[in-house]
Amino acid sequence: AREKKAQNFSDFRLQSTRLIQRLRLNPDDSLEIKPVIQITPIQVDLEGAIDYGYTLRPRVRLLEISKQQREIDLTNVKGWNAFNVNIEMTYGLEKQDEDYKSLWQEFDNSYSMTVNAYIPIWDWGRRKARIEAQKITIRKTELYQEETKNRIKSEIQNAVMNLQEYQKRALSMSENMQMAEEISNLSITRFENNEISLQDLLQSITRQKETEENFLESYLGYRKSLLGLTVETFYDYENNIQLLDKFRSG
């Protein structure tokens, strides 16, 4: 055990030295990081989370813009090959006298009006077909919107369920870890007083190690599920702020 411990310290020292050189840090700088594990219970309203997914995700907004563009295109298509009248009117003054001295005198009025009318008689149904095709395009966009919203709803529901499960598990494992640590400390004290054997002590320490590993697994799952919910809703539930507002303030 002592040999393995010494080897671990040696490996850690060598890897730390390489990392300090790679990052071009001061040789006296320390790379030791003491992580603070904190689990803040988060209550998520499912309906509110789904609403965030509908209103904050750019994909839904882009689909709404696309639908509006298709509706504008439909209005334009209805105008193709339809009855229309163009009226052009001019008002001005003319001077056709070639004499330079009279150029700025005795102007002639110039008024005109032109009316052009387009009356479609027969287009073999092309205009009607174009309109129907554009309506189908709009309907496809609406169906894709509905499909996207259903998918977003399902993803958010799964994300909320994952968060609740991992959060509950992490909180429970945190209590178990504290209890396992207390048992290990008690076992060490009892071993020093010759009340238990070395094997019993090692079993307590092994159980503590397994409990800590299970807690780390559940805590990482909790963090990943929380990040997953943030990605699906574009809302930071830890800080109670929308991601767009968070990025603007940053």
Side-chain angles (χ1 to χ4, degrees):
R2 293 193 186 98
E3 179 65 22
K4 186 175 181 180
K5 179 179 179 181
Q7 184 64 38
N8 290 338
F9 274 111
S10 178
D11 293 341
F12 178 78
R13 180 180 57 80
L14 291 176
Q15 293 179 11
S16 299
T17 302
R18 295 192 188 100
L19 185 58
I20 289 176
Q21 293 176 352
R22 184 177 179 182
L23 298 177
R24 299 181 180 180
L25 300 176
N26 191 315
D28 297 331
D29 290 341
S30 175
L31 297 178
E32 182 180 0
I33 299 176
K34 297 181 180 180
V36 178
I37 298 179
Q38 182 177 1
I39 303 177
T40 303
I42 297 176
Q43 300 296 331
V44 180
D45 178 38
L46 180 58
E47 295 300 327
I50 295 174
D51 185 65
Y52 284 142
Y54 288 164
T55 57
L56 299 182
R57 289 186 62 161
R59 183 58 182 165
V60 178
R61 296 185 178 184
L62 291 175
L63 288 175
E64 185 63 31
I65 293 174
S66 177
K67 178 186 175 183
Q68 294 177 1
Q69 290 177 339
R70 299 291 185 273
E71 293 174 347
I72 294 174
D73 292 340
L74 176 60
T75 303
N76 294 332
V77 168
K78 288 181 178 179
W80 295 348
N81 291 335
F83 173 77
N84 61 80
V85 178
N86 295 326
I87 301 177
E88 297 180 359
M89 302 180 66
T90 62
Y91 172 79
L93 302 175
E94 291 184 356
K95 182 61 179 178
Q96 299 180 357
D97 196 334
E98 297 179 357
D99 187 1
Y100 175 77
K101 294 182 179 179
S102 303
L103 185 62
W104 305 101
Q105 302 175 5
E106 300 179 1
F107 290 97
D108 296 328
N109 294 328
S110 175
Y111 306 130
S112 66
M113 182 176 68
T114 303
V115 179
N116 294 320
Y118 176 79
I119 304 176
I121 298 177
W122 184 257
D123 64 352
W124 300 95
R126 286 184 298 177
R127 178 175 177 271
K128 182 178 180 180
R130 288 172 179 169
I131 292 175
E132 292 301 322
Q134 193 61 35
K135 289 181 178 179
I136 293 175
T137 302
I138 294 176
R139 181 55 182 164
K140 287 175 61 178
T141 304
E142 292 175 347
L143 292 175
Y144 188 65
Q145 275 185 303
E146 183 178 352
E147 179 185 358
T148 301
K149 287 186 175 181
N150 289 335
R151 184 171 63 253
I152 291 174
K153 181 179 180 179
S154 177
E155 291 172 349
I156 291 177
Q157 288 176 340
N158 292 332
V160 171
M161 290 180 61
N162 289 337
L163 175 61
Q164 292 175 346
E165 291 177 0
Y166 276 109
Q167 179 175 268
K168 182 179 179 180
R169 182 182 174 189
L171 291 173
S172 177
M173 291 303 302
S174 177
E175 297 177 356
N176 294 340
M177 186 179 64
Q178 294 177 0
M179 186 181 300
E181 183 178 0
E182 294 174 357
I183 293 175
S184 296
N185 293 334
L186 180 60
S187 298
I188 293 175
T189 302
R190 294 183 63 189
F191 175 76
E192 293 174 347
N193 296 331
N194 296 323
E195 297 179 3
I196 60 175
S197 64
L198 177 61
Q199 184 178 2
D200 294 334
L201 174 61
L202 293 178
Q203 288 179 353
S204 298
I205 295 176
T206 301
R207 284 194 295 268
Q208 179 185 358
K209 177 185 175 182
E210 293 174 351
T211 304
E212 290 175 346
E213 290 177 348
N214 292 333
F215 169 73
L216 181 59
E217 179 184 356
S218 61
Y219 177 74
L220 292 177
Y222 160 75
R223 295 300 306 174
K224 290 179 181 179
S225 61
L226 184 58
L227 291 175
L229 181 61
T230 302
V231 171
E232 298 297 338
T233 60
F234 272 62
Y235 189 85
D236 185 356
Y237 281 90
E238 282 189 296
N239 301 305
N240 292 324
I241 186 174
Q242 299 179 12
L243 287 187
L244 296 179
D245 295 337
K246 183 177 181 179
F247 293 151
R248 292 192 187 102
S249 61

